[in-house]
Amino acid sequence: MAGGIEVKTPEQILVMRRAGLVVARTLAALRDAARAGLTTGDLDRMARVLLAEQGATSSFLNYGAGYGVQPFPAVTCISVNDEIVHGIPGERVLADGDLVSVDFGAIVDGWHGDSALSFVIGEPRADDRELSEVTRRSMWRGIAAARLGGRIGDISAAIEGFVRTQPRRYGIVREFTGHGIGSAMHQAPDVPNHGRRGRGPLLVQGMCLAIEPMLTLGGEATATLEDDWTVVTRDGSRACHWEHTVAITRRGLWVLTAEDGGEAELTALGARFGPLGD
Ligand code: MG
Ligand code: MG
């Protein structure tokens, strides 16, 4: 531990990479399978099968038990259109033009991986495509800003700075943040999606973070539905969520939930790609 933050050994990060690949492959399969006419519950059932096939268990199922809320009843969070995060999969039928965010977490040998991606069913509206692309790219800016010896605020400032330099104004959701991750899904420190460089905890070797911007086409205010979980935009505007789990290694950054470890995106942004192992 360093300042209340769990620091992982290289061996532990290698196990987290296995969890990360389960997450990456499951999310890719769900994105490829999603089409109009399927329900969000169909996608969740598919994720349960893939999780079992890969010998992993869910980070999400029964999350929150004992905290006075309904324990989370699924292995994915599927959030559609004005839903930002934590949507509960069920009978909702996906339709052409829906903007869908899927968040998924897996445990391998006690270590977690957590990632989310967004896509549109059928033909996307231009502003939805752009919202998803700006959210995705802001995530990569945040990841690439994580440098040994830097601070959490560097990540936050990179995300916010990228979003604020877009020609159009987006809402940056503030009530939910990224987080440390490792032997539990949610750990210290929080990783806000807005903030200032040079602030917050020091970034050290062995730290693992889930970096997850949530943007909207409207305002930043959120509301939680009666199901205890689904977070929506208060103004009904559409929202988008992307997330990766990244490890800070002695060699650089390793995006544990990206199939290529983040090599392509990190290299393009001038950040050091630093996988462990051979
Ligand atoms: Mg997540
Ligand atoms: Mg997360």
Side-chain angles (χ1 to χ4, degrees):
M1 301 286 280
I5 295 169
E6 182 182 76
V7 172
K8 285 76 171 169
T9 65
E11 293 72 26
Q12 291 167 337
I13 291 174
L14 286 166
V15 181
M16 288 182 69
R17 173 60 168 165
R18 289 166 52 208
L21 284 174
V22 170
V23 173
R25 289 166 187 172
T26 305
L27 281 173
L30 297 181
R31 180 187 54 205
D32 291 348
R35 55 181 164 75
L38 284 184
T39 67
T40 53
D42 291 333
L43 292 178
D44 192 71
R45 279 185 285 278
M46 190 178 303
R48 287 178 194 241
V49 171
L50 293 168
L51 201 51
E53 281 177 1
Q54 295 172 96
T57 56
S58 173
S59 304
F60 293 6
L61 187 63
N62 291 322
Y63 188 90
Y67 288 91
V69 295
Q70 176 201 183
F72 195 78
V75 302
T76 56
C77 296
I78 304 184
S79 308
V80 182
N81 297 339
D82 65 323
E83 299 171 353
I84 306 167
V85 286
H86 305 165
I88 301 176
E91 297 311 304
R92 182 177 190 143
V93 179
L94 295 172
D96 274 334
D98 279 346
L99 173 57
V100 182
S101 300
V102 182
D103 193 345
F104 182 67
I107 309 170
V108 170
D109 291 344
W111 294 88
H112 292 249
D114 184 12
S115 178
L117 52 72
S118 293
F119 52 83
V120 175
I121 304 291
E123 197 53 44
R125 304 193 320 205
D127 53 357
D128 288 343
R129 187 198 298 122
E130 197 177 318
L131 170 66
S132 181
E133 192 56 13
V134 169
T135 310
R136 191 187 71 80
R137 292 177 67 199
S138 74
M139 170 190 69
W140 281 107
R141 295 297 179 113
I143 292 169
R147 307 278 166 102
L148 268 182
R151 302 256 173 196
I152 291 288
D154 303 350
I155 300 168
S156 309
I159 294 169
E160 183 179 21
F162 179 76
V163 176
R164 291 291 174 240
T165 52
Q166 298 304 308
R168 127 164 229 169
R169 185 175 172 84
Y170 294 94
I172 303 177
V173 173
R174 291 164 186 264
E175 276 134 305
F176 300 88
T177 67
H179 49 91
I181 180 170
S183 61
M185 178 168 61
H186 289 138
Q187 300 183 324
D190 285 350
V191 185
N193 294 309
H194 63 96
R196 291 173 63 180
R197 283 187 65 174
R199 302 290 178 88
L202 198 59
L203 300 174
V204 301
Q205 184 182 316
M207 202 179 261
C208 295
L209 302 169
I211 295 175
E212 50 178 318
M214 290 150 257
L215 303 186
T216 81
L217 287 174
E220 298 174 351
T222 71
T224 302
L225 301 185
E226 300 251 315
D227 64 15
D228 285 341
W229 288 104
T230 310
V231 178
V232 298
T233 57
R234 211 165 269 233
D235 60 9
S237 62
R238 288 182 168 218
C240 186
H241 178 215
W242 281 82
E243 174 179 24
H244 269 310
T245 295
V246 59
I248 300 173
T249 73
R250 65 187 161 77
R251 299 173 58 192
L253 299 172
W254 195 16
V255 183
L256 303 176
T257 48
E259 184 73 40
D260 75 343
E263 182 171 16
E265 297 278 356
L266 291 172
T267 304
L269 291 169
R272 280 181 65 191
F273 173 57
L276 299 178
D278 39 75

